[in-house]
Amino acid sequence: ELRGRKFTSGNQVLRKCFDLYANVRPAKLFPGLRSRFSDVDLLVVRENTEDVYTGEEKWVDDDTVEGVKRITRKASTRIAEKAFELATKHGRKRVTAVHKANVCKQADGFFLDICRDVAKKYPTIQFDEQLADSLLTKMVMDPSEWDVLLCPNLYGDMVSDLAAGIVGSLGLCPSGMYGSEYAVFEPCHGSAPDIAGKDISNPVSQVLSGAMLLRHLGEGKAAESIEAALERVTVQGGNALTPDLGGTGTTTSMTDAIIKEL
């Protein structure tokens, strides 16, 4: 509880208090890492304030629980605008709206209508739509087909985790949460108390989150140098990598290797 408001987690406190409406999760395949694929560079842009993640649930009777799926014009408009702004800024060619409007006709249909309206403002960016369930199949078959994935909250959570698996590990993926005034950067994965203190967790998602922060602050060259150093480390393999990447290294040794390459 904070300032008279109740929250489900510390992360939700940050999202709500600072109105961090956009969760941006890149998923890029680094050279030298194990993968079925050779060219993956996805950007998942996830609405971060509503959908079924508002925590609005209630017991109707002893056998029934109801949850609210909230989709608003304000939230959908600004997340769509964020996706197209990022695509334009970073030279990406395509934005795909992810939905289940065939089932959630009003909620997801509303989200889609707003995405279509926003897309008209960006004629140089290709816009299309994809059902959330079939998208997951297509990502596993050929992730290089996709570029920027524009998602409501729930689908964005699932799509970004799958994208992380495709490029090798959740430990490789950073995330940024953006509002109109503030931004917060963190690994896209949660805590891992089962391996706490064992010095085997992958530090890359934390390192890349720092690179995202630098780029947000206008320090693009510094961010690029960190990413380039990381690429040189992943090419080395072996004891330069943590176990989740097939290596025999530790959190400390991989961090030291990145610092050395800097």
Side-chain angles (χ1 to χ4, degrees):
E1 186 171 338
L2 180 67
R3 298 175 183 172
R5 299 171 63 188
K6 292 185 177 180
F7 302 93
T8 58
S9 67
N11 191 281
Q12 191 186 60
V13 172
L14 294 174
R15 293 200 309 269
K16 295 292 187 180
C17 288
F18 297 115
D19 194 25
L20 304 176
Y21 66 86
N23 190 351
V24 179
R25 295 183 170 187
K28 181 180 179 180
L29 181 62
F30 284 87
L33 298 181
R34 300 173 303 176
S35 177
R36 290 180 52 209
F37 310 101
S38 59
D39 183 20
V40 184
D41 187 6
L42 300 167
L43 187 65
V44 180
V45 182
R46 170 189 173 191
E47 202 288 318
N48 208 33
T49 65
E50 56 180 28
D51 200 357
V52 296
Y53 280 40
T54 61
E56 296 173 78
E57 298 177 312
K58 65 178 182 180
W59 284 94
V60 177
D61 55 43
D62 290 343
D63 302 306
T64 309
V65 174
E66 289 182 349
V68 173
K69 177 181 174 74
R70 175 169 285 109
I71 301 293
T72 65
R73 184 181 301 279
K74 176 183 176 181
S76 298
T77 299
R78 62 185 184 175
I79 196 61
E81 289 176 342
K82 186 69 172 180
F84 280 96
E85 288 169 5
L86 288 169
T88 302
K89 181 178 180 180
H90 297 293
R92 291 179 176 266
K93 307 299 184 184
R94 177 184 177 195
V95 172
T96 301
V98 182
H99 68 96
K100 281 293 291 181
N102 58 328
V103 176
C104 302
K105 297 183 183 299
Q106 295 187 58
D108 283 19
F110 187 40
F111 175 78
L112 264 187
D113 287 342
I114 293 168
C115 291
R116 291 166 183 158
D117 287 342
V118 172
K120 295 173 183 176
K121 304 176 186 177
Y122 298 86
T124 61
I125 304 294
Q126 178 186 349
F127 172 71
D128 57 9
E129 304 160 6
Q130 182 64 50
L131 291 171
D133 46 359
S134 58
L135 171 67
L136 301 181
T137 302
K138 292 184 177 183
M139 285 177 65
V140 170
M141 296 175 68
D142 183 11
S144 66
E145 178 184 349
W146 309 99
D147 194 357
V148 178
L149 298 171
L150 167 57
C151 307
N153 207 341
L154 174 62
Y155 310 143
D157 196 2
M158 294 186 290
V159 167
S160 59
D161 274 20
L162 177 61
I166 287 171
V167 299
S169 170
L170 271 172
L172 292 170
C173 295
S175 75
M177 296 189 294
Y178 299 86
S180 58
E181 297 182 66
Y182 305 99
V184 172
F185 300 87
E186 62 176 358
C188 76
H189 58 73
S191 62
D194 55 316
I195 60 172
K198 296 182 179 180
D199 200 28
I200 60 172
S201 62
N202 187 336
V204 173
S205 56
Q206 186 72 62
V207 171
L208 289 178
S209 295
M212 287 184 74
L213 169 61
L214 287 169
R215 190 167 278 113
H216 179 68
L217 295 174
E219 298 289 346
K221 289 185 178 180
E224 289 170 7
S225 68
I226 291 173
E227 293 162 351
L230 174 59
E231 286 194 11
R232 292 193 288 272
V233 170
T234 60
V235 169
Q236 294 173 21
N239 60 8
L241 305 181
T242 47
D244 62 309
L245 301 178
T248 57
T250 63
T251 308
T252 302
S253 68
M254 188 166 185
T255 303
D256 288 343
I258 297 169
I259 293 171
K260 182 180 178 181
E261 289 297 333
L262 279 170

